[in-house]
Structure formats: structure tokens, C-alpha cells
Amino acid sequence: MSGKRSRKRKSYVGIIVMSLLLVLALAGVGVAYFLLMSENSVAAGGDVPFEVEPGTSVVGIANQLEAAGLIDNALIFRIRVRLAEADDKLLAGSYTLQLGMTYDQLIEELKKGPPRNVTRVTIPEGRSIDRMAVILAESMQFDADDFTTLARYGAPDFAEEFPFLIGAFDDSLEGYLFPDTYEFLEEAGPRDVIVTMLRRFEQVWNELGDPTGPAANMTAAELVVIASLVEMESSLAQERPLVASVIYNRLAIDRNLQFCSTVQFLMPGEERQRLRLTYAQTQVPSPYNTYLNAGLPPGPISNPGKQALDAALHPADTDYMYFVLTGKDGSQTFASTTAEFERARQKSREVFGQ
């Protein structure tokens, strides 16, 4: 009999122990659920300046957040940091946090680090490397010559990440530095700026799709050269596909392009802005001079924007062989014959008095 009672007592003890373990397990699940699912109850509101000094522990940050009214429970914040494996990832610095942010949002913000000062720079379409350098140096903390040197000769340095630069003429990035409005980190150097501009070029180029018409027979490098010509020879969006058509039409019959912009490309300062070149200027020897040389220039003469790139890839279908600036708004007259061209030239003289 005593043996049976002993076995019963052991059975009861076992049941009690298992019950306690089950209760504890359920309690643990409840606590874990509470810690995981509890959310910051601070009501949404305005901005709160928040400073984390270097070396501040997670405990210190949690207490500061609670004291600032940004969280309602420092302990839960600390546990959520631990669960996010972010104990050593919260960064010191000056923040602007918002009332009502969740624990996860606060953790992510503190992991990301404080906002960094940025400089907004606009690079107009058609600027060459040397003119870009001046614009950038006025806003950024680097010398124009450092940017110019890297941009003029550094294509091989960037070709692994941007294969379209392989074989770039004279190792220059001319034509591939996309003109746009950028926000650069204040401490960004020439290399950082160039990488950002090349990525933007790649993005825009891919968005434009495959070339059509005569453009389909061109290499990517030739298309960029054509786009750079379109950029410099037209100022109105609707005329750019027409200018591109003239380029393709003249190339098709081996007629020299005779574009002033290819001579002005190598001119210093204000000379680039001349409305008309002198005859002597059109005879200056240069591989870029399309008055003297057939075909395209060896490399781009500017950094074209999206409209010019689009026109080079998708030119209009015309029989135009000429265009002449005839409007003070930048509009041009397009011509298919020599007689039409001469009439357009006369109109240009009447408008501009030259």
C-alpha cells in the first residue's frame, strides 16, 4: 500500500511541476508578447531636438528619450534595442525627432545617424567639364582643378562600375556627367560628385530605351557625341529631334557638319558665346572642327541633358540638311535645299543685324 501512495505522490508532484513550468512558459510568452507588441504611447506632435553625446550607452539613450518625452518606457526601449541587435549601432550626434515615433522608428533613426549637411548644386545642360568645375568649386569644398583633372582623364578609374565608359575618347568623362540639380554631402570630393553624376547618366540613358531610325546604327559613344552636338546647337525642346535629323542626314551623304559649336568647344571664355564665327576661326586646325573634318568629332563637346540624349536616340524623320538661327527666342529655320538655306540666312541677318 505504501508503495502505491509513494507512486501517487510522485505523480502528483510531477503534475504540479509540469503545471508550474507550463504557467511559467505561458507567462514568459506573455511577457515576450508584451515586450514585442507594446508600442510607444506618446501622442504624435512636433519636433524635439535630441542630442546623443559620444560614448552614451543604450541605457543612457533610453533614459534621455524618456526624459525628453519621446518614449513612455525606457526599459521597453532598451529591450527592443536588444531584440533588434542594435546595442552597438546607435550613433551619437544632433537629431530632430518627432513626438509619436514608434520604438522601431526611433531605433532606425538612431542607427541611421544624424542628418548631415548637404549642398544643393545645379549644373545646367550643355556645360563642358571646365565650366562644370567652376560651378562645383563655388559650392563644394574642393578645388576646380582637382575636379577637372579627374573628369578629363579619369574614365578608366570609373569604367569597372560604369562599363559604358570603356574606350571613352581620350579617357575623358566629357558627355557622361549628367547635368541636373544635385544634393551633395558637404564633405563630398570630386570622385563622390562624379560617381553621382555618372549614376544619374546611366539611369536616364536606360530610361530612354533603344535607339531608332539611323540612330540604331550608331555606337553608344557616337550617340553621346551626337547628343552633345544637339545640346549645343538647339535651345528649344521641340527642335532638338529636328537638329538630330540634320546631323544624321548630313552624315548619310558624307557632308561635313559645319557646326560652329565644334569650333567654339576649344575657344576660351566669352569667345564661346559668339553668335557667328569668322572665316578664319572656321579654319583653325582641330580634330573637333567639323568645317574641316568629315564625320563626327572624336568625342562629346558638352554634357547633354535628357532632351538632347532623347533626340540623338530618336531623331525626327526629315529631309532637312540645314538649320539657321532666325528667332531671338532661340528658334531656327530648317531647310532642305541650298536656296531655302540662303533665304534662312538672309532672315537671320535681318533679325540679328549681322
Side-chain angles (χ1 to χ4, degrees):
M1 293 290 291
S2 60
K4 290 182 178 180
R5 289 196 196 96
S6 176
R7 284 196 295 273
K8 285 183 179 180
R9 279 198 297 271
K10 288 181 180 178
S11 177
Y12 291 147
V13 170
I15 292 171
I16 292 170
V17 169
M18 290 182 64
S19 298
L20 288 171
L21 290 174
L22 180 60
V23 169
L24 290 172
L26 290 173
V29 170
V31 170
Y33 181 82
F34 172 75
L35 294 174
L36 286 170
M37 301 305 294
S38 289
E39 199 42 82
N40 189 15
S41 63
V42 174
D47 295 340
V48 176
F50 189 74
E51 184 79 22
V52 178
E53 295 294 336
T56 304
S57 66
V58 173
V59 173
I61 293 173
N63 291 338
Q64 283 182 237
L65 287 168
E66 188 174 50
L70 285 159
I71 61 173
D72 54 9
N73 193 310
L75 175 60
I76 292 179
F77 178 82
R78 288 162 50 193
I79 294 171
R80 295 288 283 269
V81 170
R82 175 62 56 85
L83 293 172
E85 299 182 350
D87 298 73
D88 58 350
K89 296 177 182 176
L90 306 187
L91 302 176
S94 300
Y95 296 83
T96 300
L97 304 175
Q98 291 77 46
L99 293 170
M101 294 177 74
T102 67
Y103 289 121
D104 288 343
Q105 288 172 336
L106 287 165
I107 292 168
E108 285 304 310
E109 194 71 15
L110 293 169
K111 283 171 60 180
K112 187 169 60 177
R116 302 164 76 181
N117 291 332
V118 297
T119 300
R120 190 178 180 87
V121 183
T122 297
I123 306 295
E125 296 171 344
R127 296 301 186 268
S128 56
I129 284 173
D130 56 345
R131 297 176 74 189
M132 271 188 182
V134 172
I135 295 170
L136 287 164
E138 288 175 351
S139 302
M140 305 298 295
Q141 298 177 5
F142 56 71
D143 189 88
D145 289 342
D146 294 338
F147 176 87
T148 300
T149 299
L150 186 57
R152 277 189 178 159
Y153 309 110
D157 296 346
F158 300 95
E160 182 175 355
E161 182 175 356
F162 304 102
F164 54 82
L165 294 175
I166 295 173
F169 176 71
D170 216 17
D171 291 339
S172 174
L173 299 174
E174 193 81 74
Y176 299 94
L177 300 174
F178 192 80
D180 206 342
T181 296
Y182 294 95
E183 289 187 347
F184 297 117
L185 292 177
E186 197 174 62
E187 65 271 23
R191 182 174 295 274
D192 303 311
V193 169
I194 284 172
V195 167
T196 299
M197 299 176 82
L198 290 173
R199 285 179 181 155
R200 182 74 177 115
F201 174 90
E202 184 176 49
Q203 176 190 0
V204 171
W205 181 269
N206 291 336
E207 288 173 355
L208 292 174
D210 294 332
T212 57
N217 300 317
M218 297 288 176
T219 66
E222 289 171 332
L223 290 169
V224 175
V225 173
I226 292 170
S228 75
L229 297 174
V230 172
E231 187 66 68
M232 300 309 294
E233 292 288 339
S234 57
S235 57
L236 302 183
Q238 66 270 24
E239 291 187 355
R240 286 179 174 148
L242 301 177
V243 169
S245 75
V246 171
I247 295 171
Y248 286 110
N249 291 342
R250 291 179 78 90
L251 291 175
I253 62 172
D254 296 322
R255 181 175 292 187
N256 288 11
L257 294 177
Q258 297 184 315
F259 285 178
C260 294
S261 58
T262 62
V263 177
Q264 292 166 324
F265 174 60
L266 299 176
M267 286 182 169
E270 295 301 315
E271 282 294 296
R272 292 183 179 181
Q273 309 305 317
R274 290 178 63 94
L275 180 62
R276 289 186 174 82
L277 299 179
T278 65
Y279 175 77
Q281 287 171 328
T282 65
Q283 301 306 299
V284 174
S286 164
Y288 285 89
N289 188 339
T290 56
Y291 283 89
L292 300 180
N293 303 298
L296 294 170
I301 64 168
S302 71
N303 290 278
K306 185 174 184 177
Q307 291 176 354
L309 287 167
D310 191 27
L313 288 162
H314 311 112
D317 183 10
T318 76
D319 59 0
Y320 293 142
M321 299 297 294
Y322 311 90
F323 53 87
V324 181
L325 181 66
T326 53
K328 291 188 176 181
D329 62 348
S331 59
Q332 307 192 81
T333 296
F334 292 82
S336 302
T337 66
T338 303
E340 291 173 347
F341 171 60
E342 290 300 331
R343 287 195 291 271
R345 289 182 65 189
Q346 180 57 37
K347 180 179 178 181
S348 181
R349 294 189 191 98
E350 294 169 0
V351 171
F352 295 103
Q354 296 185 39

